[in-house]
Amino acid sequence: MLETMSQFLNFSIKFIPTKSWEEVIQLVKERVSFMSPMKLAIMPHLLKELDFTVPIEPATLTFSMAKPILKPRWQSLYYPLKDDVWASILAMMIVMPAVFILITNKRRPSRTILQVTGSLLAQNFSGHIPERNSGRLLVGAWLVFAFILGTAYRGNLTAFLTIPKYPPRAETLPQLLAKNAKVAMPPDAVDFYNGFKQSPSSEFRTLSERVTFVDSFKEGLGLAETSNSAYMYERRFMELMIARHFTPLRAASRLYVARQNVWPGYSAWPVIRDAPFKPVVDRCIQAFNEAGLIDKWGDMVVEEARRISRKKKRLHQLEEETETNNNEEKEADDDKGSASQALTIVHMQGPLFLLLLGLAVAGLVFAIETVMYAWYAKR
């Protein structure tokens, strides 16, 4: 933004290195620096000492946490259909054998139940086709119903196994507080901490009780990645640092940035008091906002950081590998930032449990049949 302004308004830029926000604010107060191209939340105590440009965007103080881990769930076979659908299928499994027996006049209900259940599970209809037209229509209607239901269930089951539903994650301040998570903040965010502590809102006061200060963003984001903790700071900065330091080569980052901002306000550039250039700078910022350039430039910076980070990690990996058969397809997949995910025990726990249950029931029935046959043979 500042470089574009300098080209349009014809002024030069001289950067003054600083080590903290306090030093930035002090330099602007002392008019050593005319303006700081770093967004600050517009707070009452800062307005007493500094002036601000027109708001650039809402104050983006938010938090980052680790994405919820998908836990193994044996109920995965149950999720493709709703409760009322399962209830309807159960009712049909009770009604249809009775109707078959009534129409076909068969006296072996066990075989009829097996035929109805087997056809629902995509097995052949092993019984003889009824001679009456009413029986044939009933068999045809049931087979069409079983085909449609089985196809829909198998399609939904594939989707639920490959793309399972993850647990909900905290996106707002109340949801963060409900998780009883600790909150890490850098030392230069102490003004926000004081604002939380003095706020009449019970949520902000509860948040201040959970805040701990860390020395660096790596420590804070590291805590958020490995424990029930959140790191709270400016949104774009966290997105940039996650893209640079916490994004694996062939997978998405374990961290995410919440959608909702925590601090209700706006952010802007601090400038000296009564600056004659402020109206012109304000018009440029308004033009950038109206054209959507601020969001566009921010996305470009984050995407560029993610691309450079992946490139460095890929080069580092290539240096460590002893094999020389790294093909171009692998590099193309890395550039796209996507990789196919193999099914794990998390996805396949339900089918495996069902198989073990079926083997156990079949073994029990086999043992009972063997005992019964032996008993009848002795008689």
Side-chain angles (χ1 to χ4, degrees):
M1 290 173 61
L2 191 61
E3 288 177 351
T4 305
M5 288 182 189
S6 67
Q7 296 173 9
F8 178 70
L9 301 176
N10 192 23
F11 65 85
S12 59
I13 303 172
K14 179 182 178 182
F15 287 104
I16 303 175
T18 56
K19 297 181 180 180
S20 64
W21 281 110
E22 291 78 7
E23 187 177 355
V24 172
I25 295 174
Q26 190 65 28
L27 290 175
V28 176
K29 284 172 56 179
E30 296 175 354
R31 292 178 177 260
V32 176
S33 172
F34 291 160
M35 177 173 57
S36 171
M38 298 290 290
K39 300 189 301 295
L40 274 178
I42 303 175
M43 297 183 179
H45 71 280
L46 294 178
L47 289 173
K48 298 177 181 179
E49 303 174 344
L50 305 171
D51 202 354
F52 284 88
T53 63
V54 68
I56 296 176
E57 61 183 6
T60 57
L61 181 73
T62 185
F63 59 90
S64 176
M65 294 188 72
K67 297 175 183 176
I69 300 176
L70 182 66
K71 297 180 180 179
R73 295 181 295 181
W74 61 268
Q75 307 98 319
S76 58
L77 295 176
Y78 172 80
Y79 294 139
L81 301 178
K82 293 291 186 179
D83 296 341
D84 52 353
V85 178
W86 285 114
S88 301
I89 294 174
L90 181 61
M92 293 300 297
M93 293 299 298
I94 297 175
V95 172
M96 288 306 298
V99 176
F100 267 111
I101 295 172
L102 180 63
I103 292 180
T104 58
N105 295 323
K106 289 188 176 181
R107 299 179 180 179
R108 299 184 64 180
S110 59
R111 180 177 295 274
T112 302
I113 294 174
L114 287 176
Q115 290 178 353
V116 171
T117 306
S119 59
L120 187 63
L121 298 177
Q123 295 181 3
N124 292 332
F125 192 81
S126 58
H128 296 287
I129 301 299
E131 297 179 357
R132 294 182 179 180
N133 292 332
S134 58
R136 293 174 180 269
L137 289 175
L138 180 62
V139 171
W142 174 251
L143 291 179
V144 171
F145 169 79
F147 171 74
I148 296 175
L149 182 65
T151 303
Y153 176 77
R154 286 190 295 271
N156 285 347
L157 179 61
T158 303
F160 271 84
L161 290 179
T162 54
I163 309 177
K165 183 179 180 181
Y166 283 82
R169 61 190 190 185
E171 298 284 359
T172 63
L173 179 59
Q175 293 173 354
L176 173 64
L177 298 177
K179 286 185 172 293
N180 295 321
K182 296 291 184 181
V183 178
M185 297 182 71
D188 56 12
V190 66
D191 288 336
F192 290 106
Y193 170 75
N194 294 331
F196 297 155
K197 199 171 183 179
Q198 300 171 6
S199 173
S201 171
S202 59
E203 291 181 348
F204 282 136
R205 291 197 302 270
T206 303
L207 177 62
S208 66
E209 297 173 357
R210 301 182 184 179
V211 170
T212 57
F213 290 96
V214 294
D215 296 332
S216 65
F217 72 89
K218 287 187 177 181
E219 182 181 355
L221 290 174
L223 289 173
E225 188 177 31
T226 58
S227 62
N228 185 28
S229 178
Y231 182 67
M232 188 169 290
Y233 203 57
E234 197 269 336
R235 176 184 300 277
R236 284 295 186 187
F237 179 81
M238 286 197 297
E239 290 177 350
L240 189 62
M241 294 303 104
I242 290 173
R244 284 182 179 176
H245 304 283
F246 291 90
T247 301
L249 181 59
R250 296 185 182 87
S253 175
R254 282 272 296 116
L255 296 172
Y256 75 95
V257 180
R259 297 177 184 173
Q260 188 185 68
N261 298 328
V262 174
W263 187 261
Y266 290 90
S267 60
W269 287 352
V271 298
I272 60 175
R273 285 283 189 183
D274 304 320
F277 56 83
K278 181 178 177 300
V280 184
V281 172
D282 288 346
R283 285 199 297 270
C284 289
I285 294 176
Q286 288 176 340
F288 295 155
N289 263 322
E290 292 171 358
L293 291 175
I294 295 178
D295 292 336
K296 177 65 176 178
W297 286 332
D299 294 338
M300 289 173 59
V301 170
V302 174
E303 185 60 32
E304 180 69 11
R306 187 178 292 113
R307 188 188 65 81
I308 294 175
S309 175
R310 284 180 177 148
K311 184 177 180 181
K312 289 181 179 179
K313 292 175 181 178
R314 184 165 58 248
L315 292 176
H316 181 68
Q317 183 185 29
L318 292 175
E319 291 175 357
E320 292 181 347
E321 291 179 351
T322 56
E323 299 179 357
T324 60
N325 57 349
N326 298 317
N327 51 34
E328 295 180 358
E329 294 180 359
K330 193 174 184 181
E331 295 181 1
D333 291 339
D334 295 343
D335 291 335
K336 293 178 181 178
S338 62
S340 58
Q341 181 184 8
L343 294 179
T344 64
I345 190 65
V346 174
H347 307 88
M348 301 302 295
Q349 189 184 58
L352 291 175
F353 277 1
L354 183 62
L355 175 61
L356 294 176
L357 179 62
L359 293 175
V361 174
L364 178 62
V365 173
F366 176 74
I368 295 175
E369 289 178 345
T370 303
V371 172
M372 294 298 296
Y373 283 139
W375 183 71
Y376 279 116
K378 289 181 179 180
R379 295 185 60 184

